[in-house]
Amino acid sequence: NPALLGTSRMKQTAITEETIKNTSIFKKTNNEILGRGEVIWNRYLTYFSPQYLFISGDKNTKFSIQTIGTFYKLDAVFLILGLIGLIKNMSRKSFLLLFWAFLAPLPGSLSGGNDEIPHSARALFIMGSWNLISAYGFYLVINFFKNTYLKIIIAVLILIILGWMFKLYINDYYQNYPQKKRSFLGLVIG
């Protein structure tokens, strides 16, 4: 029965009663709704942690090589500048983009076990918005300079740095990650 399968999956990914009861708000108020709210809020915030975004990414080795975050470290500069630029020049488009960026982690925050947060597969919706914000930050950096030649030099320099970071990622993905993944699988299987 398909309805039973959906119910079964929902139970697998639901926030457990034990998790709710271990929250500080529940312990103080004995209110399950407030406890659930604390769990969701804490999970939501993990999607914005530097650890997840720029350092090691998803804890699950299926979704991350564990040596680089969801974004390159250089993207942190562009994301911050892009956010500041969007807020400073608020329009309907920037509001929509910011709304998308901050709404996107909500589905992942509402589901999953404690060890699955943040979960990259549940956060795919966030990628488009944060990539656009990062691109806007890049645009602001380039257009900060008035001289066309200087703009080109800065853009090429940034692209060289991003290319170098991509090379490090590819090297880690094809050389180090398979051995780490095999050793992890050996621990799980063996």
Side-chain angles (χ1 to χ4, degrees):
N1 186 348
L4 292 176
L5 293 175
T7 305
S8 174
R9 180 66 181 146
M10 192 172 84
K11 286 179 183 175
Q12 288 175 340
T13 60
I15 299 170
T16 64
E17 193 175 314
E18 179 185 348
T19 303
I20 294 167
K21 288 183 178 181
N22 283 330
T23 63
S24 60
I25 288 180
F26 182 85
K27 289 176 182 175
K28 291 175 186 172
T29 64
N30 211 25
N31 186 314
E32 190 174 319
I33 294 171
L34 292 176
R36 185 178 302 275
E38 181 181 340
V39 172
I40 292 168
W41 177 249
N42 289 336
R43 288 177 174 194
Y44 177 85
L45 292 177
T46 63
Y47 286 95
F48 300 102
S49 73
Q51 186 73 27
Y52 172 69
L53 290 175
F54 308 109
I55 298 170
S56 63
D58 197 311
K59 295 174 194 170
N60 188 330
T61 57
K62 287 191 300 188
F63 303 116
S64 173
I65 63 172
Q66 311 289 299
T67 57
I68 188 169
T70 306
F71 296 96
Y72 295 124
K73 288 176 180 72
L74 182 59
D75 283 320
V77 174
F78 301 132
L79 282 167
I80 291 168
L81 291 174
L83 283 169
I84 292 169
L86 287 171
I87 293 167
K88 186 178 173 187
N89 303 312
M90 188 58 76
S91 68
R92 285 184 183 171
K93 291 176 186 174
S94 59
F95 176 78
L96 182 63
L97 184 56
L98 290 169
F99 182 73
W100 173 15
F102 289 102
L103 180 69
L106 200 53
S109 305
L110 295 171
S111 64
N114 292 335
D115 58 334
E116 297 176 357
I117 303 296
H119 194 290
S120 291
R122 293 183 185 131
L124 284 176
F125 189 53
I126 199 173
M127 293 304 293
S129 59
W130 288 99
N131 284 325
L132 289 171
I133 293 168
S134 181
Y136 183 60
F138 178 78
Y139 168 82
L140 292 175
V141 167
I142 298 304
N143 284 316
F144 176 78
F145 301 96
K146 303 297 179 212
N147 184 312
T148 304
Y149 294 112
L150 192 55
K151 285 182 182 185
I152 293 170
I153 290 169
I154 297 297
V156 168
L157 182 63
I158 290 170
L159 292 174
I160 288 170
I161 293 170
L162 287 172
W164 175 72
M165 290 176 159
F166 179 70
K167 180 192 174 294
L168 292 175
Y169 168 77
I170 291 296
N171 183 53
D172 206 27
Y173 182 78
Y174 285 109
Q175 292 183 0
N176 302 328
Y177 178 64
Q179 282 134 9
K180 279 193 254 178
K181 183 79 171 166
R182 251 183 269 136
S183 66
F184 173 76
L185 287 174
L187 292 173
V188 172
I189 297 169

